[in-house]
Amino acid sequence: MKLWGGRFTKETNQLVHNFNASISYDQKFYKQDILGSIAHVTMLEKQGILTTEKDAIVDGLQGILNDLESGALEITAEHEDIHSFVEANLIERIGDPGKKLHTGRSRNDQVALDMKLYTRDEIVEINDLLKELM
């Protein structure tokens, strides 16, 4: 899934694609990205923006998380980043409701949240390891 370039008539050069791709390092944020998306769609439902789609989206996201953690689903380099990977898999699983996942937030919002949650989780783990070491 290409996140940009819709107005260009020629195929994107592979070097440009490689330069823009971040999936090789942001794949470690998959859990935080999915949990952040679940929180986001929950908020969208509370605000009346999503109605019946919320449950399908949450179930689809939880299924992706379960499949990634069990090894049934693998993150591949065909997607530009972890967000497009999750979104593409969600749409494949639940159809059009999956396209509403990013309503009201940008990719930059997702990146900031994923990094904050990942850092928080790592601090908790390091703290636990230090306590064990002591």
Side-chain angles (χ1 to χ4, degrees):
M1 171 184 289
K2 294 268 190 251
L3 301 177
W4 57 276
R7 294 179 296 234
F8 301 118
T9 56
K10 292 185 180 179
E11 184 67 28
T12 305
N13 183 289
Q14 189 61 39
L15 289 172
V16 174
H17 173 77
N18 293 346
F19 179 77
N20 285 313
S22 62
I23 191 79
S24 64
Y25 53 88
D26 69 10
Q27 65 183 326
K28 68 178 141 193
F29 301 145
Y30 76 89
K31 185 174 186 177
Q32 292 79 13
D33 192 71
I34 292 171
L35 295 177
S37 291
I38 290 172
H40 182 73
V41 298
T42 301
M43 176 278 300
L44 290 174
E45 180 194 44
K46 285 183 181 179
Q47 296 304 312
I49 297 167
L50 291 180
T51 54
T52 58
E53 308 96 330
K54 184 252 186 182
D55 290 336
I57 294 171
V58 170
D59 291 346
L61 289 168
Q62 192 62 55
I64 293 167
L65 180 59
N66 294 342
D67 288 350
L68 284 168
E69 292 188 338
S70 73
L73 180 62
E74 185 178 328
I75 298 171
T76 62
E78 82 180 83
H79 300 283
E80 191 169 314
D81 59 24
I82 193 61
H83 323 298
S84 58
F85 170 82
V86 171
E87 183 179 18
N89 276 277
L90 182 64
I91 292 168
E92 185 178 305
R93 289 172 187 236
I94 69 168
D96 283 343
K99 295 177 182 177
K100 296 183 179 185
L101 179 63
H102 298 296
T103 301
R105 69 177 173 167
S106 69
R107 297 267 180 211
N108 289 340
D109 293 335
Q110 284 185 272
V111 170
L113 176 66
D114 291 357
M115 291 178 76
K116 182 177 182 175
L117 293 177
Y118 181 82
T119 301
R120 182 197 65 187
D121 293 345
E122 290 296 299
I123 288 170
V124 169
E125 185 174 342
I126 289 169
N127 188 45
D128 291 345
L129 291 171
L130 284 171
K131 286 178 182 175
E132 185 179 317
L133 180 63
M134 293 180 351

